[in-house]
Structure formats: structure tokens, C-alpha cells
Amino acid sequence: MLIAVRPATELPRLRADRLWDSIHESAAIGATADGGLCRLALTAEDGLARRRFMEWSEAAGCVATVDQIGNIFCRRIGCEPALPAVAIGSHLDTQISAGRYDGVLGVMAGLEIARALNDAGIGTRRSIDVVSWTNEEGARFPLPMMGSAVFAGQLGLEEALAATDADGTSVREALAEIGFVGEEPVGSRALDSYFELHIEQGPLLDAAGIDVGVVDGAVPSRAFSVKLRGETAHAGATPMELRRNALAAGGRVIAAVDAIGRGHGWDGRSTTTRMRVWPNLTGIVPSEVDLAVDMRHSSAPELGRMVTELHDACSEVTEETRVDIDIQPAYSFGGFSFDRACVALVDQAARELGASRRRMLSQAGHDAYNLALVSPTAMIFCPCRDGRTHNPSEEVDEARAWPSVETLMRAVVARADR
Amino acid sequence: MLIAVRPATELPRLRADRLWDSIHESAAIGATADGGLCRLALTAEDGLARRRFMEWSEAAGCVATVDQIGNIFCRRIGCEPALPAVAIGSHLDTQISAGRYDGVLGVMAGLEIARALNDAGIGTRRSIDVVSWTNEEGARFPLPMMGSAVFAGQLGLEEALAATDADGTSVREALAEIGFVGEEPVGSRALDSYFELHIEQGPLLDAAGIDVGVVDGAVPSRAFSVKLRGETAHAGATPMELRRNALAAGGRVIAAVDAIGRGHGWDGRSTTTRMRVWPNLTGIVPSEVDLAVDMRHSSAPELGRMVTELHDACSEVTEETRVDIDIQPAYSFGGFSFDRACVALVDQAARELGASRRRMLSQAGHDAYNLALVSPTAMIFCPCRDGRTHNPSEEVDEARAWPSVETLMRAVVARADR
């Protein structure tokens, strides 16, 4: 089912310079010395970036609304305002040592589309919402993709507001501190559809010289909490044979986790991302180690085999070290397809633009995963240099990114006009 | 060279019940729910334990003095007070999850000797100092054996006072807070000799059913700071082949460290005790891992080979993971013999007592290591059950410990009378 896209002569002209200026201006908020960003969710910096975004969108004629979890919706009102809006969104918060495109590109691209529609004097049939979701990264408050998860009914509002950061500050307190406790009930806004443009965060598009990633669906991801329990002892006096060293056992589990990912082809991913060691003191054999393990594979059965290998590896480590190991599921996401019509529309838009494109799966978690549960949703990836991300050296070449921004605009305008 | 020990009829009669009562009473200060102790150096609990010790020693007729780093000297004045004193000492601070004998036994045994000499109306020629050294464990403030290190000129007073705990509180502030900033210049007190009774913290004496460990010297110990530097990346999107995962590399180093200790016989010890992971966040491949590695072996050349193996293992990990690894020496101790005359005196005392004894090396660091640099020094080990220590289940059987306490008394009295 193809949707009529406006002839090119009737489409707004996006301004790359303006979009990139906005990205770089926003990157001054929370800038780090190494050229990266540290703009953790609901910090003062996040508050500044949010306000800047709202000011810009209001200057572009949008109406900004904040919901109870701090999600921001900037609406460019359409010709038939009673119809559900087409949403474009992503997030303004970053990881602790991030680049300037992850999340930000998707929000600012939405803003640029609104600006370009204004420049061209075009009104779309449906309204367009440019959305910034709260705490996508989960770097300060656990529970990543928080705002979109509450929006989609995957996470209770009260549970989200009660989540605390390492200093014990709750989401509720942090929202109040930066003045982003909105009145709109979360999830009350009906959406016609949701489109998210995001950097690929992987190397495929960049390496293959492809312009646009048309995202079919989400790689299944499963995370585990692995707890190792041994016994404290003296690091000098206790013979190796008598120890139940949780960290020595943990080191072997960490190495096994890495090997499991490497043993399952190009698509295998297996990572120990976080850990805690106790008592973590000079001279003491550690007795407690907690590991956070993240496993992903495009094939769900293959992912199942990886999980089995994790269990097997831990059993073997327990047998050899006498350290008890408990494995519990932490969270899982992905393993679904995006809306066929929306994906087809993205593909069609890229093709009409003459862009090279690849159908692919998303490896990373995104707010779009939650939106897909309540609204027809599609994602677009743009190439990022060497696939580097969550790193200050994250780089997106303006020229390489441009086809994906154009694709987003064409798909959204077509959908809003339908 | 044998020293005349008083005939048994002229020796004071130690009271096991009183010593054990004192140990258990002191263990109420900083007691944990699992029956262990958490009495970190210079906390309120440590302050209470120090005051209790001073009150008891003053009640036993001793004169208590505190030096500038908070070391406590309780002097039972001898018949010729101008002569340097014979010191008995150990420490009252504990690890975070400790038993009730490590350190405490040595201090309380000194107190019991003073009490028993009083009961018997015996005056020794030289004074006897019962000493509690500040921050032996290094669990709250880094730099273990701190008080004795400053006493022996191995660590500057200012450097020690400036050391901070995890909350940023300095030793200077913590000493003031518990009222233990003394006036005596550190190290100004000349000692005739130093004797330290300590639990073995290993299983040898207990397993062999031997009463007294006569400690010849200290096992060479070398500690290293191992810093791994990779690159942050996305745990989902970044293919395994493109990662420079510092934690995956760290896991392999941790496992290698454990294997090195196991590959060098009964005496080999090799432990990763502490670690730091950065950014330690959900969804991020870690880029920085710092490891604290502790290696010990009774044979210095064998220890040298273990260190070489650590370097080799790290080189191999770097080659296979592209993670940079830097190894720097952190500290080293041990690798020396205690004073021949003092060790012979301990051996003679145990023999005359009819106790079974074993000459052995100390695997753990002790204040006696520092004292040995400025004074004739010897150590006595008593058996501890199953060699368990730095653990709430640390246990010393009164009957099994008794010969070592008697040995200490006989050696000290003989030395003080000489």
C-alpha cells in the first residue's frame, strides 16, 4: 500500500545549516572538555536543553505541552486539529560520556521539519508533534526509555516517579527541581503514528556507504542480574585452595560473557556492563560480586542458545570455584517488527529521494520500542562515523545524514497529509 | 644466646577467663548482627574501643599516652624507668566485616600480662608498653599499618594525617573528632624491643594441631595498580569485533591473577582485591577498569616469576583485546627476618612451656613489620580455626590460644628483666 507523497516541488526545503546549528548550539549545554556531552536526565543541564528546545519550537509556532513524567510535546497544529497527530521524537538526555547526536538529532530534525513547513507556508492535514521523551538513557535513573515506557503503559507513573539516582534523589524531586512536572496525564494523547530518526549506533551503514537505514524491527535483547557469593578471607594468609573468591569467579564469568557474544556471528552481542564488588578493600578476598549482563541477537533462538551458554558457563565456574552464582532476568526488550505501513512509507520516501537504503534491525533500545506498542511506528537510521557512539568521538557527517532527515520529512508529511 | 627466664614459680599467673572476657566485652563495640565486628579506624566505635582500652590499662596502673597519629602507649613502669621499654602491641581497628581476634588479641594479651604482673606483685626491670597502633587495617583510610609506619619513619606524619576516606574525611579530622590527637611526637619513644601476638590468619597451625607459631620473618608481598583503558561503546549496537572493552579484558586479567597464585604451590598468593569500573552504566561497554593486585610468596625469586607472569598475561590480553594495560607498583612489604635474639627468646619460652611450636613466615602484613625497622622485634602466631579471618566467623579457641599468650608473657618478662 503506497501513500501519495507530495511532488518534490510542493515539499518544504529543509535547511541543513539551520539543523546543524541547532544541534551544535544545544551541545553547548552539558559540553565536556573532550568535545562530548554529559547531560544526564533531569539535571540542571537537561532542564536548560529542554527549555531551549521549547523556546525554539514555540518560536516556530508550535504549542508545547509537558506531561506528568516530563515528556515534552511541541505541536505544529494541522488543518484538522481534531485528528490524532503524527509524532516525531527522540530524547535530549545523554549518557555520562556521550556524543552530540544520540537522541538530539531525532528531536532537532523534528524541529527543523516544523521550521521548514513554516518557511514554505505548508499546513499538513494532521498535526505534527515533535516529542522529547524523559530519561531515555537510564544513565542517571535506572529504567531506560522511562518517559516513553510510562506513555505506553509499560511502566507505572508512580514507579517511575519513585525511581532514585545514586544520590537518592527521586525522579519526582528532580522533575520538580528543573520545573518539568507537567499537568497532562501520561499517555492521554492519541497519536496517529510515530517516527524516530536516530543515529545507527553501529557501523553497518557507514562501512557500506549507505544513506538510510530503514528499520524493520528490533533485535531481541535480554538482560540478567548475575550475583556471585563467596567468602571474605585474607588475601595474604589464606591459601588459594581454601578460597571462595567471588571476584576471581566473576572474572571468569565476565570473560565467558564476552566469548559467548563472539561465538554467535556478526549479530551476537554479549556484554557485562556494570558490576559491584564487596568489600572491595585492600588485603581482602572479595565475597560478593554483582554483574549486569546484556545479551542480544537478531535471531531469538540464537539468543536463547546464548542465554543457555551463560547458565552453563556459570555452572562450570561454580563447580571450579565453589562460589555460588544466581542468575535472574533483569529486563528484556525488542524481538518485534515495526508497523508495516509506516516502514513501507519510510522505504518509499527514501527511494523517491534516490537515497541508497538498507532494511535492518535496531540493536539498541529506543523510545520507538515503547511507542510501537501503542501506535503505528517506524524508525530511520542515519550513518554515524565508524559506528562509534556513547562516546565523545561520536560523529555524524552532515552530508551523510542528510538523506535520512529528508526521508523522515517526506514520510511524516505524507502520513500527516493522508 | 639464651636469656634467663624466671622460674615458673616466680612468673605471674595469667587469667584466661579475664583475657577472654576483655576480648568479648570489647567486641560489643562495633558488633555486627552476624557476630562479627565492623570497627573501622577512627570511627566513633574505634574511639569507644580505644577509651575502653585506656581505662582498663589505667585501672591496671599503666600510664596512657597518645602520640600525634593516635597510637596509644600504656606503660607499666618498670623498676628502672629510664631504660627503653619492652613493647607489646597490635591494633583495635578492624576490617569492614571482621572477626573479634584480629589485632584485638595482641592488645588485650598485653593488658592481661600487665594485670597478672600486678596480681603477682612483680616489678620488671624495664617498663612494659602495651601499644595499640592506629589504622592497621587500612579499610577506611588507605595506607594500612599507618600508625606504625609513621612511628618507624616509613610514612610522613603529614601525609598520613592528610589521607582521606571515601567520604573525603581526613585522618586529621577523624582523629580530632574522636579526641585522639595526642601530643607525643610520633616515633620519639625509644623501645628496647617489640613483641606482637597475632592470630595466624592462615590454616597451618590449626590443621597441624600446633600450639605456637614462632614467626621467623615476613613473606615478601608486592602490590600493583593495573589500569586498563579501552573505549566506551554501545552494548547493543557495537559488534564484538569493533570493541575495546576494558571490563572484558579486566575479567581475563582477574582470572589470570587467580591462576598465577594457584600455579606457584602452597605458598603462592595472588589476588585482585579491589576494582573500579567506568562508566559502569546500563547499555555501555566499559572503557576504564582499575584493578588492585596483591601477590605474595615465601620465595622472593618465585614472587618475581609471579610478577613476570602478571606482565605476560596483561600483554597477551592487550594483544587480543586492543585494551591498553598499565601496571604500576603500589606498595611492597615483607621479605625480611625478625630479630634473631627476640625470635630465639620466643622459641625458648614456648619450649620451656612445653608447647608444640613451628617456625614459620608471616603471610599477612602486621605492625611488627614496621617496628622491625626501628627495634628488635618478634611475632608469635596462635592458631585460628580453619585459618578463617577477615570474616565474622573468625574463631580462636581459648585452649588452643593459651600457649601462645603464655609464650608472649614469658618472652616479654624475660626481655624486660634482662
Side-chain angles (χ1 to χ4, degrees):
Chain A
M1 178 194 64
L2 294 186
I3 289 178
V5 171
R6 282 177 194 242
T9 50
E10 291 176 27
L11 282 168
R13 200 179 65 80
L14 295 170
R15 279 181 46 197
D17 59 329
R18 183 166 55 189
L19 171 54
W20 247 250
D21 281 353
S22 296
I23 289 172
H24 292 314
E25 197 176 330
S26 79
I29 307 170
T32 53
D34 52 12
L37 274 181
C38 177
R39 201 163 64 205
L40 298 177
L42 310 183
T43 54
E45 290 76 21
D46 187 29
L48 284 175
R50 287 161 165 265
R51 279 192 203 292
R52 183 70 50 88
F53 164 59
M54 286 171 71
E55 286 160 16
W56 284 342
S57 68
E58 284 166 349
C62 297
V63 178
T65 310
V66 178
D67 73 9
Q68 294 161 324
I69 193 67
N71 296 321
I72 305 169
F73 300 86
C74 297
R75 172 161 294 189
R76 183 173 189 274
I77 296 171
C79 305
E80 298 184 35
L83 292 175
V86 175
I88 306 171
S90 201
H91 58 95
L92 294 173
D93 69 313
T94 77
Q95 286 281 353
I96 198 168
S97 175
R100 44 180 66 187
Y101 302 95
D102 178 353
V104 179
L105 173 64
V107 177
M108 294 301 160
L111 180 66
E112 173 54 29
I113 290 168
R115 287 167 167 169
L117 287 166
N118 293 344
D119 293 345
I122 296 174
T124 53
R125 181 169 175 241
R126 293 165 186 276
S127 300
I128 294 174
D129 280 355
V130 183
V131 190
S132 175
W133 304 104
T134 293
N135 186 34
E136 192 270 351
E137 295 287 6
R140 178 180 173 196
F141 299 99
L143 309 171
M145 303 171 261
M146 178 183 276
S148 57
V150 179
F151 187 87
Q154 294 302 296
L155 175 65
L157 174 63
E158 285 306 315
E159 188 183 343
L161 291 172
T164 53
D165 66 10
D167 297 333
T169 304
S170 69
V171 168
R172 188 191 307 276
E173 291 162 344
L175 277 171
E177 209 157 298
I178 62 167
F180 271 88
V181 184
E183 292 186 357
E184 179 166 303
V186 189
S188 61
R189 175 178 293 244
L191 296 181
D192 167 77
S193 51
Y194 177 73
F195 292 84
E196 183 164 352
L197 167 64
H198 205 283
I199 63 169
E200 181 198 348
Q201 304 190 284
L204 296 179
L205 297 176
D206 188 48
I210 288 171
D211 298 327
V212 178
V214 179
V215 185
D216 278 315
V219 160
S221 299
R222 294 172 67 180
F224 300 91
S225 160
V226 180
K227 291 182 191 292
L228 299 96
R229 293 296 178 265
E231 205 168 47
T232 56
H234 194 290
T238 312
M240 305 301 285
E241 289 77 0
L242 297 184
R243 301 179 178 196
R244 294 176 59 225
N245 182 338
L247 183 53
R252 296 173 62 164
V253 172
I254 292 166
V257 164
D258 190 61
I260 290 169
R262 293 174 192 276
H264 288 265
W266 175 259
D267 263 359
R269 307 277 190 274
S270 182
T271 318
T272 307
T273 55
R274 288 183 290 116
M275 75 183 292
R276 183 187 75 89
V277 179
W278 193 88
N280 210 31
L281 289 174
T282 302
I284 312 285
V285 175
S287 62
E288 298 187 12
V289 169
D290 296 345
L291 305 175
V293 173
D294 181 308
M295 301 186 122
R296 315 188 190 198
H297 200 288
S298 56
S299 150
E302 201 75 10
L303 179 58
R305 282 190 280 278
M306 289 168 65
V307 173
T308 302
E309 288 177 22
L310 172 65
H311 282 269
D312 291 348
C314 288
S315 298
E316 199 174 302
V317 170
T318 291
E319 205 164 296
E320 292 174 10
T321 63
R322 300 182 301 122
V323 169
D324 298 323
I325 308 183
D326 178 61
I327 307 174
Q328 293 294 332
Y331 56 84
S332 64
F333 56 73
F336 64 86
S337 297
F338 285 118
D339 180 74
R340 280 184 64 177
C342 288
V343 173
L345 181 58
V346 166
D347 193 70
Q348 176 191 343
R351 191 175 63 247
E352 290 184 4
L353 182 66
S356 60
R357 61 202 194 283
R358 172 178 288 184
R359 303 291 282 251
M360 60 196 305
L361 296 175
S362 168
Q363 291 274 6
H366 293 290
D367 292 311
Y369 288 27
N370 286 317
L371 270 295
L373 299 167
V374 291
S375 168
T377 291
M379 282 198 80
I380 303 169
F381 279 169
C382 84
C384 61
R385 201 182 291 170
D386 300 327
R388 292 159 68 93
T389 181
H390 286 188
N391 190 295
S393 67
E394 179 183 275
E395 191 54 82
V396 172
D397 300 319
E398 197 174 316
R400 294 298 315 282
W402 202 246
S404 62
V405 183
E406 285 272 352
T407 298
L408 173 69
M409 184 270 286
R410 286 169 178 245
V412 165
V413 170
R415 183 85 190 185
D417 279 345
R418 104 174 186 290
Chain B
M1 178 195 63
L2 295 186
I3 289 178
V5 172
R6 283 178 193 240
T9 51
E10 291 176 27
L11 281 168
R13 199 179 65 79
L14 294 171
R15 280 181 46 196
D17 59 329
R18 182 167 55 190
L19 171 54
W20 247 249
D21 283 353
S22 297
I23 289 172
H24 293 313
E25 198 176 329
S26 78
I29 307 169
T32 52
D34 53 11
L37 273 180
C38 176
R39 201 164 64 205
L40 299 177
L42 310 184
T43 54
E45 289 76 21
D46 187 29
L48 284 174
R50 287 161 164 263
R51 279 194 204 292
R52 184 69 51 87
F53 164 59
M54 285 172 70
E55 286 160 16
W56 284 343
S57 68
E58 283 167 350
C62 296
V63 178
T65 310
V66 179
D67 72 10
Q68 294 161 322
I69 192 67
N71 296 320
I72 305 169
F73 301 85
C74 297
R75 173 161 294 190
R76 183 173 190 274
I77 296 170
C79 305
E80 297 184 35
L83 292 175
V86 175
I88 306 171
S90 201
H91 58 95
L92 294 173
D93 69 313
T94 77
Q95 285 282 352
I96 199 168
S97 173
R100 44 180 68 187
Y101 303 94
D102 177 353
V104 179
L105 173 65
V107 177
M108 294 301 161
L111 180 65
E112 173 54 29
I113 289 169
R115 287 167 167 170
L117 286 166
N118 292 344
D119 293 346
I122 295 174
T124 54
R125 183 171 174 238
R126 292 164 187 276
S127 300
I128 294 174
D129 281 355
V130 184
V131 190
S132 175
W133 304 104
T134 292
N135 186 34
E136 193 269 352
E137 295 287 6
R140 177 179 174 197
F141 299 99
L143 306 172
M145 302 171 261
M146 179 183 276
S148 58
V150 179
F151 186 88
Q154 295 301 296
L155 174 65
L157 175 62
E158 286 306 314
E159 188 183 344
L161 291 172
T164 53
D165 67 9
D167 296 332
T169 304
S170 68
V171 168
R172 187 192 309 276
E173 290 162 343
L175 276 170
E177 209 156 299
I178 62 166
F180 270 89
V181 183
E183 292 188 355
E184 178 166 305
V186 189
S188 62
R189 177 178 292 244
L191 297 180
D192 168 78
S193 50
Y194 177 74
F195 293 84
E196 184 165 353
L197 167 64
H198 205 282
I199 63 170
E200 181 199 347
Q201 303 191 284
L204 295 179
L205 297 176
D206 187 48
I210 289 170
D211 299 326
V212 178
V214 179
V215 185
D216 279 316
V219 160
S221 300
R222 294 172 67 179
F224 300 90
S225 161
V226 180
K227 290 182 191 291
L228 299 95
R229 294 296 178 266
E231 204 169 47
T232 56
H234 194 290
T238 313
M240 305 302 285
E241 289 75 1
L242 297 183
R243 300 179 177 195
R244 295 176 58 223
N245 182 339
L247 183 53
R252 296 172 62 163
V253 172
I254 291 165
V257 164
D258 191 60
I260 290 169
R262 292 174 192 277
H264 287 266
W266 176 260
D267 265 358
R269 306 279 190 275
S270 182
T271 318
T272 307
T273 55
R274 287 184 290 118
M275 75 184 291
R276 183 186 74 90
V277 178
W278 192 90
N280 211 32
L281 289 175
T282 302
I284 313 284
V285 174
S287 62
E288 299 187 12
V289 168
D290 297 344
L291 305 175
V293 172
D294 181 307
M295 300 187 123
R296 314 188 191 198
H297 201 288
S298 56
S299 149
E302 200 75 10
L303 179 58
R305 281 189 282 277
M306 289 169 65
V307 173
T308 302
E309 287 177 24
L310 172 65
H311 282 268
D312 291 348
C314 288
S315 299
E316 199 174 302
V317 170
T318 291
E319 205 164 296
E320 292 173 10
T321 62
R322 302 182 301 123
V323 168
D324 299 322
I325 307 183
D326 178 62
I327 307 173
Q328 293 294 332
Y331 56 84
S332 64
F333 55 75
F336 64 87
S337 298
F338 285 117
D339 180 74
R340 280 186 63 177
C342 288
V343 173
L345 181 58
V346 167
D347 193 69
Q348 177 190 344
R351 192 175 64 244
E352 291 184 3
L353 183 64
S356 59
R357 62 201 194 282
R358 172 177 287 183
R359 303 293 282 251
M360 60 197 303
L361 297 175
S362 168
Q363 291 272 7
H366 293 290
D367 292 311
Y369 287 27
N370 286 317
L371 270 295
L373 299 166
V374 291
S375 166
T377 292
M379 282 198 82
I380 304 169
F381 279 169
C382 86
C384 61
R385 201 182 290 169
D386 299 327
R388 292 159 67 93
T389 182
H390 285 188
N391 190 292
S393 66
E394 179 183 275
E395 190 55 82
V396 173
D397 301 318
E398 196 175 314
R400 295 296 317 281
W402 202 246
S404 62
V405 183
E406 284 272 354
T407 298
L408 173 69
M409 183 271 286
R410 286 170 179 246
V412 165
V413 170
R415 183 85 190 187
D417 278 344
R418 105 175 185 289

